Amino acid sequence: MKVIVVGAGVVGTMHAWHAVERGHEVVHIEREAEARGASLRNFGQIWVSGRAGGEELDTALRARELWEGIGARVPGLGFRAIGSLTPVRDDLELAVAEAALARPDAAARGYKLLTPDEARAVNPALRGAFEAALWCERDAAVEPRLAQLALREALLATGKYTFLPNREVRDVVGGNAVRDDRGETHTGDAVVLCTGAWLSGLVREVAGEIPVRRVRLQMMQTEPLGEPLTTSVADADSFRYYPAYASPALDALNDGRPQDPTAAAHKMQLLMVQRLDGGLTIGDTHEYEHPFAFDTLEDPYEHLTRVVESFLGRPLPKIRRRWAGVYAQCVDTSRVVHRQRVADGVWLVTGPGGRGMTCSPAIAETTANELGW
């Protein structure tokens, strides 16, 4: 079988990976020299802790298993089974953490409530003041700026994979074929369009209006911290954002202590991961209304800096990079991703939202299973 994959972000690359793993030939087409979108502009988190129970959690747990296996074969991914800590500072936040521990799927996530001393034994860099911390053992991380490159190198070594950069697919041609902007037609037994946040043009033409929206975010990265940050770190605003934490205790938190005005205005949470070079990736904001701003705003960065410094008990290193990104999010909450047959032998897979890096190996595996690869 020959599979044509359009889009070299993490979702597209994982579709190529599963096709090659099952013995098929892959032609992988990317409109830029390499992927430049949300697949690189994220935390690199394999984030199990906040996922909604049911299909979303099952997908994240399966993806976590797949990431670990792939990471053992492709060390360049930088896979680390580091877990995460969410420090809590008062009784309202603590009650939300305790409600999460009472979930029937808490053990599957690896939840445990730690005292401050226990949390610092896991992550000594957390020298600030907090009352307790929610530990999620199943969380992990990879290097987002390196993952697709490392996977592509491994794919090229198989002899079953061809990468065609700087080609924009313009048309779906009959069954099982696409035409690029150089006028070349690529025909296979199956075509998978993994176009990320590119939802106009070809996608609208072949799929019509789909239940997927674009979301903009702001993030930043520091100079090296100078010491290990041994886990991912979140703040209690992540309780307000992730579905796993919905509970009467969360309602009481929202009613009893509204979110900081800057965080509320920009729909923020703190997530933080240390990169292999020692720098910290920190974010993020969420903007849903179009048209998106074309500039980045300082208030969110200042808020994140204050929160991080309060957990670390020390000044943040110099900011090295700031950026904005856009990802595609399926608005049908019953689905992890929007998967649609748009023509004979042609499928569109898009809209994993902020779950793309976490769930992409399992999303692609499901596509491969459903298409009978």
Side-chain angles (χ1 to χ4, degrees):
M1 176 183 284
K2 182 178 182 180
V3 179
I4 312 297
V5 178
V6 178
V10 69
V11 174
T13 301
M14 282 297 179
H15 278 82
W17 177 271
H18 279 285
V20 168
E21 282 288 283
R22 298 177 186 214
H24 307 311
E25 178 186 352
V26 171
V27 175
H28 199 179
I29 307 171
E30 167 56 40
R31 63 178 176 168
E32 301 194 63
E34 60 186 50
R36 306 293 293 172
S39 295
L40 279 73
R41 307 181 198 192
N42 67 75
F43 299 94
Q45 286 181 308
I46 316 306
W47 191 246
V48 173
S49 49
R51 301 300 170 205
E55 181 185 358
E56 184 176 327
L57 177 60
D58 292 344
T59 301
L61 287 169
R62 174 56 179 160
R64 166 66 169 76
E65 179 183 3
L66 290 167
W67 270 119
E68 186 165 12
I70 297 169
R73 296 169 54 188
V74 186
L77 294 176
F79 177 86
R80 289 102 70 199
I82 56 176
S84 72
L85 287 170
T86 304
V88 297
R89 289 176 160 152
D90 58 34
D91 288 345
L92 288 172
E93 293 179 358
L94 179 61
V96 180
E98 290 173 337
L101 288 170
R103 292 182 59 98
D105 53 21
R109 301 170 191 265
Y111 279 162
K112 186 177 180 181
L113 193 62
L114 304 183
T115 67
D117 286 344
E118 289 171 336
R120 293 186 185 103
V122 174
N123 191 339
L126 298 178
R127 299 185 182 91
F130 52 92
E131 295 298 316
L134 182 64
W135 163 249
C136 180
E137 183 270 338
R138 297 301 294 160
D139 290 337
V142 296
E143 292 300 291
R145 294 174 184 251
L146 303 178
Q148 283 77 241
L149 300 178
L151 287 167
R152 188 189 312 154
E153 184 178 348
L155 287 166
L156 287 167
T158 67
K160 296 179 179 294
Y161 173 85
T162 301
F163 182 59
L164 300 178
N166 299 309
R167 296 171 184 250
E168 184 170 312
V169 170
R170 294 287 182 83
D171 300 294
V172 171
V173 186
N176 304 348
V178 294
R179 183 183 295 118
D180 67 27
D181 57 1
R182 302 186 186 195
E184 296 184 25
T185 298
H186 308 274
T187 304
D189 298 287
V191 176
V192 185
L193 307 175
C194 300
T195 55
W198 177 37
L199 302 175
S200 58
L202 174 69
V203 173
R204 183 175 293 127
E205 181 179 328
V206 300
E209 296 299 324
I210 59 177
V212 177
R213 65 179 175 180
R214 300 170 79 236
V215 181
R216 182 181 184 269
L217 54 82
Q218 286 186 203
M219 296 174 62
M220 62 182 177
Q221 187 169 331
T222 73
E223 295 285 352
L225 182 63
E227 63 179 319
L229 186 79
T230 55
T231 70
S232 297
V233 176
D235 73 346
D237 278 343
S238 66
F239 293 159
R240 307 176 195 263
Y241 185 77
Y242 284 106
Y245 304 115
S247 66
L250 179 61
D251 296 338
L253 172 64
N254 288 327
D255 293 340
R257 184 163 48 74
Q259 196 172 17
D260 174 274
T262 297
H266 298 282
K267 301 175 177 61
M268 296 179 67
Q269 62 184 346
L270 168 71
L271 296 176
M272 178 169 60
V273 184
Q274 189 170 48
R275 303 271 63 92
L276 291 177
D277 69 358
L280 305 176
T281 299
I282 300 169
D284 61 349
T285 65
H286 299 87
E287 183 179 354
Y288 302 102
E289 298 300 324
H290 291 239
F292 292 143
F294 59 82
D295 44 12
T296 58
L297 300 176
E298 280 301 300
D299 287 355
Y301 292 120
E302 292 171 357
H303 169 78
L304 290 169
T305 298
R306 289 192 297 270
V307 175
V308 171
E309 290 181 345
S310 71
F311 286 154
L312 297 179
R314 53 167 284 186
L316 197 62
K318 179 181 177 181
I319 304 303
R320 176 190 293 173
R321 303 184 181 98
R322 305 175 194 267
W323 67 89
V326 177
Y327 61 76
Q329 180 184 59
C330 183
V331 297
D332 181 351
T333 57
S334 69
R335 289 188 269 176
V336 173
V337 72
H338 180 75
R339 187 182 288 105
Q340 177 181 347
R341 179 178 175 272
V342 297
D344 290 341
V346 183
W347 285 263
L348 172 67
V349 183
T350 188
R355 304 171 292 204
M357 186 59 82
T358 295
C359 293
S360 56
I363 288 169
E365 182 183 59
T366 298
T367 301
N369 292 341
E370 291 186 359
L371 272 56
W373 293 357

